[in-house]
Amino acid sequence: MRLTENNFQFYLALIIALCCSTSANAQEARYSAAQIKADIQFLQSKLVNNHPNLYIYSSKSEVDSFFGSLYQQIPANMTALEAYTYITPVCAKIKDGHTVFFPDDQTINYYNANARYFPFKIYWNGEKMYLELNYSLQDELENGTEIFSINGVPSKEIMDYCTSRLMRDGNNQTYPVWVLNNWFNEYYSYFYGHPTEFTITYSAKDAPIQTQKVKALLKQDIFANRANRYPTRSFSRTSGQKEGDGIVLTIDNESKTATLTIKDFTNKILKSTYKQNFKQTIKTCFTKIKAAEIKNLILDIRNNQGGEIINGQYLLSYLLNEPFKVVEQYYTVGNPLESTTEKRNKISRGAAMGITQPQPDAFKGDLYILINGGSFSNSGIVSAALQYYKRGTFIGEETGGNKNVLCAYEKSIVLPNTRIKVEMPTRQFAIREPDKNTGHGTMPNITIKPSITAMIEGRDEIMECALKLIKR
C-alpha cells in the first residue's frame, strides 16, 4: 500500500496514541509484594557489599532490623511511586548525603510531560513555610505569604515526611531542607502525587488565616511563568546560567575588599555551562587580588554542591599560609560481612592526599567564608580544612557536607523490578579527625538564617553581615 499524506497522518496519530497509552499504562502498573521484596533484597545486598559508610550512624543490627521491618510490611502491591516512597526511608537510616534515590526514568519522563505540579517555590526556615516565588496563574497569594497547610496536611508534617526520605550527611538537617527549598514541587510529587489543584491555608502579613484553591500546572507552564516573572534568577545548576558566572571575582578598591563567588567545583559543569577552567580562573583571580592589595576577602561557596576535590585543594593553596592536608585517608569496603566500619573497610587511594604546600603568593589578609546547607560535598571539605586551620570567619548556616567523614565516587544501580535508580558511593573520605565525627558539617561562627522578608526584598543578609564586619 502506498503511503499517502492521509495515511501518514493516520499512522502518526495511531503511533502517538499507542505511545501515550503505553506510558499511561506504565504509570498504572503495580508491582507484587514478591517483586518489591526482591528489589529490597537487591538494594540491601548492594549496600552491604559496596557502601563504606553503611554502619557509621546506625549499627549493623539497626540496619538489619530496618530492612527486616520493610520485608514484613510490604503491601500486596504498589505502584512505582508508592514503592519509591516505601523504600526511601533508608536514607534517614544510613544518613549518607551521596546516597540518592530517584524514581524510574519511565515514571519521571511520563509525569514531566503530562502531570501537574505545585506552582510555587517555598521557603522553610525550620519552623514555618513561606511562599517565596509565585509561579501560579493566580496572583492573590503574594510572595512572603505564610503557608499553614497543603491539601489538609500541615506544612511541618509535609516537611518532616519529605526530609525523612531524603539524603543527608549524618545528623545534618540543613542539606535536605536546602534541597526541598529548591525542588519542593518535584519531591512533593514523589511523595504526595499529582493532584489537579491544591487547597492552601495561608496568612499574608499577619492577616487572618484564609483558604485558597490553586490549580496545579504543567512543568512547561511553571517554567514559562518563572522565566517571565523572575528573569534575573537562575534555578538550575546547568541551565539558565551565564557564561563566566561560575567563578566571579569583584573588587572594591576603596575598602580593599574582594568577593570571590564559586558556584561549582565540577570541571565538566564549569567548562560546559560557564566556559571556565577552574585552575586558570582561580590563578587569575588571586593575581588580581594581589595586584589590588586586597586586605579582606569574602569567599562565597553557598549553594555550591561540590565537584573535583583537586579543585578544592588548589583553592586552599591560595587561602592557607601553612602546609596542609585535605584528606587523611580513603577507604573502600573490604570485608562486607563485618559488623563495624573499622573491620568492614580497607585502606584505599584517592586524590588530594598527603601534605600540600601553599602558593608563594597565597592570600594573607582577613578571610570571611559564606556557607549554607547547599555547601555540600567538596564545599564541605574546603570549609572543614579552613576551619581546622583556623583560617577565616564563617557566616551563614551549617554546611550540608560533613566536616569529618563522607563518601563519594558514586555508582548507579537500578532495582530490577521497579527500576528505581540509586546513586551509591563506593569510597569513604576520612577528611579530618573521623574519630571525632558528630554527624554535622562546619558550623558558622556567626549563624544567620535568611528571613523571608529580606529574601523577597532581594537583600542578602549573610553578605551584609560580612560587609559590616569588614567596616568595623
Side-chain angles (χ1 to χ4, degrees), residues 194-255:
H194 297 83
T196 56
E197 70 174 10
F198 299 93
T199 300
I200 298 172
T201 59
Y202 67 96
S203 174
K205 298 178 180 178
D206 297 323
I209 296 177
Q210 304 177 61
T211 300
Q212 177 79 42
K213 290 186 180 296
V214 178
K215 289 184 178 180
L217 294 182
L218 294 168
K219 272 194 175 179
Q220 62 195 48
D221 295 327
I222 289 176
F223 294 159
N225 292 342
R226 188 174 73 182
N228 289 333
R229 294 175 192 173
Y230 313 102
T232 62
R233 296 281 295 262
S234 58
F235 297 90
S236 169
R237 193 178 184 184
T238 56
S239 63
Q241 304 282 358
K242 295 180 181 178
E243 186 174 319
D245 271 6
I247 303 171
V248 178
L249 176 70
T250 59
I251 291 178
D252 182 345
N253 286 304
E254 184 178 348
S255 66

Side-chain angles (χ1 to χ4, degrees), residues 196-455:
T196 56
E197 70 174 10
F198 299 93
T199 300
I200 298 172
T201 59
Y202 67 96
S203 174
K205 298 178 180 178
D206 297 323
I209 296 177
Q210 304 177 61
T211 300
Q212 177 79 42
K213 290 186 180 296
V214 178
K215 289 184 178 180
L217 294 182
L218 294 168
K219 272 194 175 179
Q220 62 195 48
D221 295 327
I222 289 176
F223 294 159
N225 292 342
R226 188 174 73 182
N228 289 333
R229 294 175 192 173
Y230 313 102
T232 62
R233 296 281 295 262
S234 58
F235 297 90
S236 169
R237 193 178 184 184
T238 56
S239 63
Q241 304 282 358
K242 295 180 181 178
E243 186 174 319
D245 271 6
I247 303 171
V248 178
L249 176 70
T250 59
I251 291 178
D252 182 345
N253 286 304
E254 184 178 348
S255 66
K256 294 298 179 183
T257 297
T259 299
L260 178 60
T261 301
I262 303 177
K263 291 185 178 180
D264 219 302
F265 285 108
T266 307
N267 286 327
K268 184 177 180 180
I269 292 176
L270 287 167
K271 182 179 180 180
S272 61
T273 301
Y274 301 107
K275 306 298 185 287
Q276 291 177 301
N277 175 280
F278 187 87
K279 286 191 174 182
Q280 290 177 2
T281 306
I282 290 296
K283 183 177 181 179
T284 300
C285 288
F286 280 94
T287 298
K288 292 179 179 179
I289 287 170
K290 183 177 181 181
E293 298 181 341
I294 293 301
K295 304 299 182 185
N296 308 286
L297 175 60
I298 300 172
L299 174 65
D300 189 352
I301 50 175
R302 290 173 295 174
N303 310 316
N304 183 328
Q305 291 186 267
E308 278 81 351
I309 193 169
I310 57 172
N311 288 339
Q313 178 187 31
Y314 189 70
L315 172 66
L316 288 167
S317 72
Y318 279 100
L319 297 174
L320 294 172
N321 299 299
E322 60 182 298
F324 62 92
K325 283 185 177 182
V326 180
V327 178
E328 291 186 358
Q329 190 57 261
Y330 290 89
Y331 297 91
T332 56
V333 175
N335 301 296
L337 298 183
E338 291 288 350
S339 61
T340 65
T341 300
E342 293 74 20
K343 292 180 179 180
R344 288 182 76 239
N345 293 347
K346 63 179 181 180
I347 292 176
S348 181
R349 296 181 61 83
M353 286 185 64
I355 302 295
T356 301
Q357 298 295 327
Q359 298 288 338
D361 56 347
F363 177 70
K364 294 179 174 58
D366 291 336
L367 179 64
Y368 303 84
I369 307 101
L370 311 187
I371 54 175
N372 68 357
S375 304
F376 180 68
S377 193
N378 196 35
S379 295
I381 293 172
V382 168
S383 299
L386 290 171
Q387 191 171 72
Y388 178 80
Y389 289 100
K390 298 179 173 58
R391 185 71 173 102
T393 300
F394 290 82
I395 308 170
E397 299 178 86
E398 175 188 355
T399 61
N402 187 281
K403 68 176 183 178
N404 298 104
V405 58
L406 53 79
C407 285
Y409 290 91
E410 302 94 322
K411 288 186 177 180
S412 295
I413 65 169
V414 178
L415 305 191
N417 294 303
T418 59
R419 312 303 295 171
I420 290 170
K421 295 185 299 180
V422 185
E423 294 290 324
M424 184 180 301
T426 60
R427 196 172 303 178
Q428 182 192 84
F429 294 48
I431 304 167
R432 192 73 53 201
E433 302 177 304
D435 57 320
K436 296 181 180 180
N437 179 28
T438 62
H440 284 284
T442 297
M443 295 293 187
N445 301 103
I446 302 173
T447 299
I448 297 178
K449 190 182 293 291
S451 67
I452 187 63
T453 301
M455 292 171 69

Side-chain angles (χ1 to χ4, degrees), residues 70-85:
L70 283 184
Y71 296 134
Q72 294 173 5
Q73 299 174 37
I74 300 174
N77 56 75
M78 284 188 278
T79 65
L81 280 184
E82 287 170 346
Y84 176 86
T85 302

